Amino acid sequence: MPSLKDLKNRISSVKSTQKITKAKQMVAAAKLRRAEERATQARPYTERMEAVLANLSASAKGNPNAPKLLSGTGKDETHLLIVATADKGLCGGFNSSIVRKAREAIARLQGEGKTVKIVTVGRKGDDMLKRLYGDLVVWKTNFVEIRQVGFEQAHEIAEKVLSMFEDGEFDVATLFYGKFKNVVTQIPTAQQVIPAEAPEGVETPDLKGAIYDYEPDETEILRALLPRYVAVQIFRALLENVASEQAASMTAMDNATRNAGEMIDDLTLQYNRARQAQITKELIEIISGAEAL
Amino acid sequence: MADKLHFNLVSPEKELMSADVDQVDIPGTEGWLGVLPNHSPLMTTLAPGMVRIRTGSDEARIFVRGGFAEISPAGLTLLAEEAMKAEDLDAAAIAQKVKDAEEDLADADTDEKKLAAQQSLDRLKELQAAL
């Protein structure tokens, strides 16, 4: 039976934890709103890009001179996994679910006898992956010192990945991130970025019978477009990741706050009972002492 | 819509401009293009330069770098990796930056640093040339 003082201490410590989780929840809610806004603002560019690419790739298909970024290297030997996670914890199962998805993919690919290389984006994913697959990590980056992830960072990652592709270091690249569906649901997603899969279901503008002129020619444009498309996809994944992280963090902190509240109630009840028991005990002692006289 | 051109300028981070205008001059890699309403469908890569957007007697100028232009019956869309409004650019400040970059280049001791300095200098010079 814990003493009254112990209980009191525990209650006050749980209370201060609750204050922290509550504050973190509110911060996450505010950040989530901003992150969602940024994800929405980035959408027009991605959509236009997809439309342009869908348009071009349809005509480039079957063309033996099509850029490798679109048609692939013709091999399927070495896979590069780009695992994008958050830099911070306190966001429930967000990071671990992305890492789990990546781990499953690694196990499957290795089972098939393929070579796997890993690029980690974000500190948490790196921490979790390096224990098991430390020797597979070829490059890592994080945004600990960056307040707001911008296109610049996505570009940097894309450039690194593309230069590795140019050097023939891998055949297929897949991006892992948390897709933001809504505030309660974030889906860990694997998306193939190289070779680029032409987006489906994209509306191409009605040209009213006219055909596009290309300046310079189609292959040149495609060649310039594809690296950017990779960067844009990474950028979108990063933005979605930020939104997902904040949403997951908000939910986790909300739960934590509620749990702390329940715990405080329980402890208070226990405290009151213990106090009551002590009073009763004291009374019995006094009364039986008086009776003995 | 018939005598106006729908113009969209989007950067990866957000949509910068969406308006109905009279004419847009864009710096294509193969030369300047003056785009008027009802232009035939065209797709081109962009050279770094100043985009001029004319609406009535107004003219807006925006510096773009890296990207594409797509002209379809729906209008003109510029996908620019970087875009800056001309009025936000200060010729004197840029001249100063060019000078700094030149000094950086002279100070660079490794190949890597030299490359980085040369790149930033080139970018600034493009900007200066466009102004």
Side-chain angles (χ1 to χ4, degrees):
Chain A
M1 184 77 185
S3 74
L4 276 184
K5 188 156 169 29
D6 286 344
L7 281 170
K8 219 175 188 169
N9 282 342
R10 278 200 67 191
I11 292 174
S12 72
S13 102
V14 175
K15 263 190 186 152
S16 51
T17 308
Q18 191 189 27
K19 258 183 212 153
I20 295 170
T21 57
K22 179 105 196 158
K24 182 86 178 73
Q25 184 208 337
M26 287 194 288
V27 170
K31 279 191 180 165
L32 170 65
R33 222 181 17 238
R34 222 171 327 145
E36 261 191 285
E37 216 168 83
R38 295 193 70 218
T40 327
Q41 280 180 336
R43 209 160 287 154
Y45 189 86
T46 325
E47 277 169 8
R48 303 302 312 193
M49 196 89 161
E50 282 178 346
V52 173
L53 190 74
N55 211 335
L56 279 168
S57 61
S59 59
K61 230 170 241 161
N63 181 349
N65 291 329
K68 275 193 179 159
L69 277 174
L70 189 67
S71 59
T73 53
K75 284 185 296 181
D76 182 29
E77 282 309 306
T78 313
H79 285 248
L80 180 76
L81 309 186
I82 308 162
V83 184
T85 53
D87 288 321
K88 288 179 194 146
L90 291 180
C91 46
F94 172 73
N95 291 318
S96 49
S97 63
I98 296 174
V99 170
R100 194 181 322 123
K101 184 136 183 125
R103 262 207 313 251
E104 282 165 13
I106 296 169
R108 185 172 44 81
L109 289 168
Q110 284 185 332
E112 290 168 9
K114 309 252 158 79
T115 316
V116 177
K117 288 177 180 174
I118 305 173
V119 165
T120 60
V121 179
R123 218 169 40 179
K124 283 285 158 182
D126 183 50
D127 285 349
M128 284 188 249
L129 282 171
K130 79 174 165 207
R131 241 173 294 148
L132 273 167
Y133 301 109
D135 46 337
L136 300 181
V137 178
V138 286
W139 191 64
K140 54 177 123 180
T141 181
N142 61 52
F143 308 127
V144 176
E145 275 150 35
I146 293 157
R147 277 189 51 223
Q148 202 177 39
V149 178
F151 188 64
E152 220 174 288
Q153 281 82 41
H155 196 84
E156 200 180 298
I157 297 168
E159 236 164 48
K160 177 73 194 169
V161 171
L162 287 167
S163 76
M164 283 167 70
F165 184 72
E166 300 268 299
D167 297 343
E169 287 183 36
F170 65 88
D171 304 311
V172 180
T174 315
L175 180 62
F176 289 83
Y177 67 101
K179 196 180 181 74
F180 180 80
K181 191 169 173 223
N182 55 40
V183 178
V184 279
T185 329
Q186 299 89 35
I187 312 162
T189 308
Q191 187 185 10
Q192 186 180 318
V193 285
I194 298 174
E197 282 177 333
E200 277 172 32
V202 182
E203 271 182 54
T204 42
D206 176 19
L207 299 182
K208 296 180 184 117
I211 45 164
Y212 271 105
D213 277 335
Y214 294 99
E215 246 180 60
D217 60 37
E218 280 165 84
T219 340
E220 279 302 310
I221 292 197
L222 209 51
R223 206 154 275 163
L225 181 102
L226 284 166
R228 290 207 174 94
Y229 186 61
V230 173
V232 163
Q233 278 184 314
I234 293 175
F235 182 54
R236 181 171 58 178
L238 292 182
L239 287 182
E240 293 228 3
N241 236 3
V242 173
S244 296
E245 180 203 347
Q246 298 305 339
S249 161
M250 200 175 95
T251 323
M253 288 304 119
D254 186 40
N255 282 337
T257 310
R258 206 164 328 125
N259 287 344
E262 272 168 26
M263 206 159 164
I264 290 171
D265 288 348
D266 281 354
L267 285 171
T268 316
L269 192 68
Q270 224 180 1
Y271 173 78
N272 284 339
R273 279 208 184 119
R275 191 175 58 99
Q276 195 66 50
Q278 200 185 354
I279 293 168
T280 315
K281 201 175 94 194
E282 273 172 19
L283 276 176
I284 290 171
E285 275 164 9
I286 294 167
I287 292 165
S288 42
E291 268 176 3
L293 283 174
Chain B
M1 200 47 220
D3 45 3
K4 285 274 182 193
L5 174 72
H6 189 69
F7 174 66
N8 271 315
L9 175 63
V10 287
S11 79
E13 305 202 352
K14 61 183 175 194
E15 185 162 35
L16 291 165
M17 195 173 167
S18 174
D20 287 332
V21 299
D22 289 322
Q23 183 185 347
V24 183
D25 293 345
I26 50 175
T29 34
E30 310 224 315
W32 282 85
L33 293 162
V35 184
L36 291 163
N38 296 321
H39 196 287
S40 71
L42 177 102
M43 205 174 280
T44 179
T45 46
L46 292 178
M50 202 62 92
V51 175
R52 293 190 170 77
I53 303 139
R54 262 171 241 155
T55 324
S57 55
D58 288 346
E59 189 187 76
R61 302 199 310 153
I62 299 176
F63 178 78
V64 295
R65 188 194 331 246
F68 299 86
E70 186 201 12
I71 307 164
S72 72
L76 166 66
T77 306
L78 283 189
L79 298 169
E81 227 149 78
E82 238 181 276
M84 282 173 275
K85 283 201 169 125
E87 57 256 38
D88 296 341
L89 299 170
D90 177 7
I94 291 166
Q96 180 60 44
K97 275 194 194 153
V98 168
K99 227 167 152 193
D100 290 348
E102 273 166 354
E103 275 164 22
D104 282 350
L105 183 60
D107 291 345
D109 42 8
T110 63
D111 281 350
E112 224 165 274
K113 273 189 198 161
K114 239 176 222 166
L115 186 67
Q118 185 66 50
Q119 274 171 351
S120 64
L121 179 62
D122 288 347
R123 290 162 84 92
L124 285 165
K125 282 210 166 138
E126 279 165 6
L127 193 60
Q128 203 176 26
L131 269 178

